[in-house]
Amino acid sequence: MATPTSSTTTQKSSDKPAAQSGTFRIGGDLPIYRLGFGAMRITGLGIWGEPQDHDEVIRVLRRTIELGINFIDTADSYGPEVSERLIAEALYPYPEGLVIATKAGFDRTGPNQWVMNGHPEHLRAACEGSLRRLRVDCIDLYQLHRIDPKFPAEDQLGVFKDLQTQGKIRYLGLSEVTVKQIEHARGIVPIVSVQNKYSLADRTYEEVLDYCERENIAFIPWNPINAGKLEALGAKLNQVAARHGISTAQLALTWLLWRSPVMLPIPGTSRVAHLEENVAAANVKIDESEFADLNQAA
């Protein structure tokens, strides 16, 4: 287990609350604050279509920068295409030091419908689309949303390798994978990040997190709060949260930052007030005994 580091990034921690989460260097090169922003929820219901409140979403994205967040995670399938376009609309030209990660590997056929598509030509075209929508020449971190069993992993990752050689991708990542899959992928291309479902209430991928920590690979937990399952942790969670005057969601984020130095939580929202609440979790100080109690409850 680890506490957040105190390394310096391109922004001063004194006026950037997200800086309290500590720092991590993606690929050993790109410095970011460890508490980022996941841009899935800025689209419409079912992660489909335009947001219900476009102006509020633009305010959310701009507020992330004001709070010091310099890592934003999105995907071409969010909307589809809507999330990437809104990020560019709100933030382009991008501030110095902002790292934007996106993903490919899904087709969308309707609200809450996700169909894997790892066809090499689809992945190649998806990258071109993301470059265009984000208005960049090179994607900082490009992630394979899923390794599609319908196609050889070598072919899917081979496309990413080609795109990296062409200068269209800086670093490569994976999503929802096992340790075995990560090791296989690393034999084909360098992998600097893994994005798996993980939270205080759902630690299915504990082995993957431990592997990433040993190898200094960024671990990006999606659904990091997992509010629907927090209640199952019982009274201990509520007691610790009440003691510090915070919500159980904030406590869940604080726990993630404590759990590992390679952990990069990306809570998402479409409301400024909720964003500010999430970022405030970076400044919460919980002692070791309380974290041990939370581990036991989980």
Side-chain angles (χ1 to χ4, degrees), residues 33-244:
Y33 295 132
R34 290 174 55 215
L35 186 62
F37 178 76
M40 184 174 74
R41 297 293 177 186
I42 65 173
T43 64
L45 296 176
I47 323 302
W48 184 261
E50 301 295 329
Q52 292 182 307
D53 189 336
H54 172 273
D55 292 345
E56 177 71 355
V57 162
I58 296 300
R59 285 191 289 269
V60 165
L61 289 166
R62 291 175 178 165
R63 185 64 176 144
T64 64
I65 304 303
E66 294 171 353
L67 293 171
I69 290 173
N70 55 6
F71 178 58
I72 295 177
D73 178 85
T74 185
D76 70 336
S77 56
Y78 298 165
E81 304 182 359
V82 173
S83 177
E84 292 178 327
R85 178 174 49 75
L86 290 171
I87 288 169
E89 178 185 341
L91 302 179
Y92 186 86
Y94 300 116
E96 182 180 358
L98 177 64
V99 174
I100 298 177
T102 191
K103 298 180 285 294
F106 273 125
D107 282 329
R108 298 298 308 283
T109 56
N112 292 318
Q113 296 179 26
W114 307 79
V115 180
M116 272 192 287
N117 186 352
H119 191 291
E121 290 310 308
H122 169 79
L123 298 176
R124 196 177 301 276
C127 180
E128 296 294 341
S130 291
L131 287 166
R132 182 176 63 255
R133 286 184 293 276
L134 290 170
R135 306 182 201 175
V136 295
D137 297 322
C138 178
I139 295 170
D140 294 322
L141 175 61
Y142 202 49
Q143 304 157 96
L144 184 57
H145 221 148
R146 297 290 187 274
I147 298 177
D148 189 343
K150 298 190 298 294
F151 305 96
E154 290 81 0
D155 292 352
Q156 298 171 70
L157 293 167
V159 170
F160 278 46
K161 186 175 183 179
D162 288 345
L163 292 166
Q164 187 178 47
T165 300
Q166 294 168 23
K168 296 180 179 181
I169 297 173
R170 190 165 187 176
Y171 291 112
L172 312 179
L174 301 171
S175 180
E176 210 65 4
V177 285
T178 64
V179 170
K180 184 176 180 180
Q181 288 174 314
I182 300 169
E183 291 179 330
H184 181 229
R186 294 180 77 191
I188 303 168
V189 293
I191 299 296
V192 305
S193 70
V194 168
Q195 185 168 156
N196 279 19
K197 187 178 183 181
Y198 186 88
S199 65
L200 175 62
D202 184 351
R203 301 169 64 178
T204 303
Y205 286 107
E206 199 78 35
E207 181 183 11
V208 174
L209 172 58
D210 290 341
Y211 175 86
C212 289
E213 187 170 327
R214 290 194 302 271
E215 300 297 320
N216 199 37
I217 294 172
F219 186 89
I220 307 169
W222 64 269
N223 196 13
I225 296 175
N226 204 352
K229 291 188 176 181
L230 277 180
E231 291 183 5
L233 299 186
K236 180 58 66 176
L237 183 73
N238 293 322
Q239 290 169 1
V240 175
R243 190 178 304 139
H244 292 272

Side-chain angles (χ1 to χ4, degrees), residues 10-22:
T10 56
Q11 297 169 311
K12 294 180 180 180
S13 62
S14 59
D15 57 355
K16 303 291 183 180
Q20 300 303 316
S21 63

